[in-house]
Amino acid sequence: MIDQSAAESLADRARALDAAALGAELHDRIRRLYPICRSITGDGVRQTLRLLGAEIDVAVEEIPTGTQVFDWTIPKEWNIRDAYIKDSTGTRIVDFHASNLHVLNYSTPVHGVMSLSELRPHLHSIPKHPDWIPYKTSYYEERWGFCLPHRQLESLPDGDYEVCIDSTLADGHLTLGQCVLPGREADEVLISCHVCHPSLCNDNLSGLSVAVTLSRLLADVPRRFTYRFLFVPGTIGAVAWLAGNEDASARIKHGLVLACAGDRGGLTYKRSRRGHAAIDRAAAHVLEHSGAPFDIENFKPYGYDERQYCSPGFNLPVGVLSRTPYARFAEYHTSADNLDFVDSASLADTVIKCLSIVEVLEGEGVYVNLNARCEPQLGKRGLYASLGGHGGARELEMALLWVLNLSDGDHSLLDIAEQSGFPFRLVRTAADVLGRHGLLREVAGAAHERGK
Ligand code: ZN
């Protein structure tokens, strides 16, 4: 029997979505998450996961400082309450409460009065964009610092400044969030995004927001695969999850890292280390049939948490879906990656493309033609478009012929879509029609083997 429920429900769902309402939901979530000061540890991550948890089921895990995770150690937990630089009149000229980017993320505490020349080595700016505040971190080296617009830095008069960073760096925990949607099968699709950036929208709130909406939409449909959404601090969070979940990681058959998912650029897919995994082919297929500009790039061992998922000891089939990739937009890691930089329509488009990719993964399969010696007579089954047949009926008829011809137990539906040039959805529909007429049978397990 051909299994079509999940694929059809998803397709229906994607078609029925109101892109404007979807975009508003995605952007509004970013707006709510934007003010929170996140880092790789601390209350900012907890507060973020609590907000996500109001919309989807998020299980939170706390891993103590000092825990060894492969070659890494869970760091001390960082929290911050206030930070400022006051000039000689006592006026806050740099204020953490105006922008959390003003503090070098993970700064150790400091409080004192110092001259400009003593302060200067602790100040960071971007000369090329003199009005923007840079985002800087120092996770694994204990330092303190401030980030400010270059124009402001250049105009600081000599004199004494009161400097305060009211932070704590102490034993605590690293916080991870997971949302698992069980499917009929234990095999998993991983959707991962980093949750460690403070007030920056495209990198990383766009990925979080897309993942939450995706999770919400997938929760309502029948699912073949189990979907695991991971909300983890960059690098250390993914390393910690893999170290603690080797069994679950072995069930991941397809995966996507979502990052920089909301700017106005076209979509970019970065292949998994395997290069030709089902996720790589599904993503490429969706982008090629989207009618919009896109890029597909090969794997490289630099970027987001695919670096961990695609490390050779795991080599999971996990690619990255972005719009403009990190570091290729001027606003990257600056205060200009703000609420205006992310666009509702682009966010909605990323969700719809993710659903289309999922639709391919869910609907993929290998079949055999049960009437393989010469073509079956389609006319007597009502499957042959009349002589004047055109448009959709004619396309479906061609898709029926493709599926019948290539369903030899070796070619999958995605193979057939690629070879015929038809969108996967049409090929899937043709297979469903043929199945209902007793002309096609699924080869159990074959698609799984191919996904490995
Ligand atoms: Zn980043």
Side-chain angles (χ1 to χ4, degrees):
M1 195 53 211
I2 289 186
D3 186 352
Q4 55 186 306
S5 54
E8 282 197 352
S9 308
L10 267 177
D12 292 345
R13 185 104 202 170
R15 274 191 286 272
L17 288 173
D18 172 347
L22 196 62
E25 167 191 319
L26 288 152
H27 200 277
D28 183 61
R29 187 178 299 118
I30 292 176
R31 191 182 51 71
R32 283 181 280 123
L33 294 167
Y34 183 62
I36 302 172
C37 184
R38 280 162 292 267
S39 185
I40 53 170
T41 61
D43 290 333
V45 174
R46 292 188 189 100
Q47 200 183 338
T48 299
L49 295 178
R50 266 200 302 279
L51 268 175
L52 305 188
E55 296 189 78
I56 58 171
D57 274 335
V58 178
V60 175
E61 185 184 355
E62 300 274 3
I63 305 175
T65 299
T67 306
Q68 194 70 21
V69 287
F70 296 123
D71 199 41
W72 297 66
T73 307
I74 301 298
K76 289 178 183 168
E77 180 178 324
W78 186 71
N79 284 293
I80 180 161
R81 290 155 293 277
D82 193 11
Y84 57 81
I85 301 174
K86 285 182 180 171
D87 66 12
S88 56
T89 70
T91 306
R92 286 187 181 221
I93 55 165
V94 173
D95 185 356
F96 169 75
H97 292 295
S99 169
N100 54 42
L101 298 179
H102 276 312
V103 173
L104 173 75
N105 200 282
Y106 245 67
S107 277
T108 51
V110 62
H111 192 196
V113 174
M114 58 190 75
S115 68
L116 181 60
S117 59
E118 288 171 297
L119 176 58
R120 186 63 188 80
H122 297 277
L123 302 181
H124 308 275
S125 68
I126 319 169
K128 202 171 152 197
H129 296 290
D131 295 316
W132 298 352
I133 307 166
Y135 161 57
K136 298 243 175 240
T137 66
S138 184
Y139 301 138
Y140 300 103
E141 185 190 340
E142 294 202 357
R143 288 195 294 168
W144 64 267
F146 286 90
C147 302
L148 67 167
H150 192 66
R151 207 180 297 282
Q152 185 186 12
L153 187 153
E154 293 283 275
S155 69
L156 291 178
D158 279 330
D160 286 343
Y161 292 88
E162 183 189 343
V163 172
C164 174
I165 297 178
D166 180 12
S167 65
T168 43
L169 193 57
D171 285 354
H173 295 84
L174 176 91
T175 311
L176 310 178
Q178 294 192 63
C179 168
V180 178
L181 304 175
R184 291 191 304 282
E185 299 179 8
D187 286 349
E188 295 194 3
V189 177
L190 173 73
I191 305 290
S192 178
C193 40
H194 57 296
V195 69
C196 51
H197 287 30
S199 293
L200 296 165
C201 288
N202 202 33
D203 175 23
N204 61 198
L205 294 178
S206 65
L208 287 180
S209 191
V210 167
V212 171
T213 293
L214 203 53
S215 171
R216 195 176 65 61
L217 295 172
L218 287 172
D220 288 348
V221 294
R223 295 172 301 274
R224 167 180 166 189
F225 292 113
T226 293
Y227 289 78
R228 183 183 298 272
F229 293 82
L230 284 187
F231 304 103
V232 292
T235 306
I236 186 70
V239 171
W241 185 82
L242 286 164
N245 295 275
E246 292 200 53
D247 289 354
S249 74
R251 295 194 293 272
I252 294 171
K253 295 296 179 280
H254 317 284
L256 277 179
V257 167
L258 296 175
C260 302
D263 63 271
R264 291 168 176 80
L267 281 159
T268 301
Y269 177 73
K270 174 184 167 183
R271 291 188 178 97
S272 73
R273 181 178 182 272
R274 298 186 189 189
H276 209 60
I279 185 67
D280 300 318
R281 295 176 57 207
H285 180 82
V286 166
L287 295 183
E288 281 159 8
H289 284 267
S290 69
F294 66 93
D295 274 315
I296 295 178
E297 302 187 343
N298 287 327
F299 177 77
K300 61 179 181 217
Y302 193 72
Y304 291 105
D305 287 329
E306 73 279 12
R307 293 163 66 166
Q308 314 313 324
Y309 304 126
C310 297
S311 58
F314 286 97
N315 197 21
L316 298 176
V318 176
V320 183
L321 191 66
S322 300
R323 302 198 73 91
T324 307
Y326 72 93
R328 287 189 225 165
F329 49 98
E331 295 83 353
Y332 174 73
H333 280 190
T334 77
S335 55
D337 181 1
N338 58 22
L339 290 166
D340 296 328
F341 186 66
V342 286
D343 169 53
S344 298
S346 301
L347 288 159
D349 180 62
T350 306
V351 168
I352 289 167
K353 294 302 187 298
C354 287
L355 282 176
S356 302
I357 293 169
V358 164
E359 189 185 350
V360 175
L361 300 175
E362 289 267 323
E364 172 66 326
V366 179
Y367 293 83
V368 283
N369 177 345
L370 298 174
N371 191 110
R373 290 159 75 90
C374 296
E375 290 178 358
Q377 196 181 349
L378 297 181
K380 72 181 184 190
R381 295 175 172 88
L383 296 176
Y384 204 71
S386 62
L387 206 59
H390 55 83
R394 182 76 193 153
E395 280 212 316
L396 178 61
E397 184 193 307
M398 290 304 295
L400 293 172
L401 295 177
W402 274 105
V403 172
L404 282 168
N405 188 280
L406 288 181
S407 289
D408 51 7
D410 187 29
H411 295 81
S412 75
L413 296 183
L414 186 53
D415 291 330
I416 297 169
E418 286 175 349
Q419 201 166 327
S420 67
F422 283 133
F424 182 85
R425 184 174 291 170
L426 182 66
V427 172
R428 175 72 251 182
T429 300
D432 293 338
V433 169
L434 293 169
R436 283 198 290 274
H437 285 82
L439 290 171
L440 211 61
R441 174 174 58 78
E442 184 165 14
V443 181
H448 286 212
E449 293 310 313
R450 300 167 62 85
K452 279 177 186 163

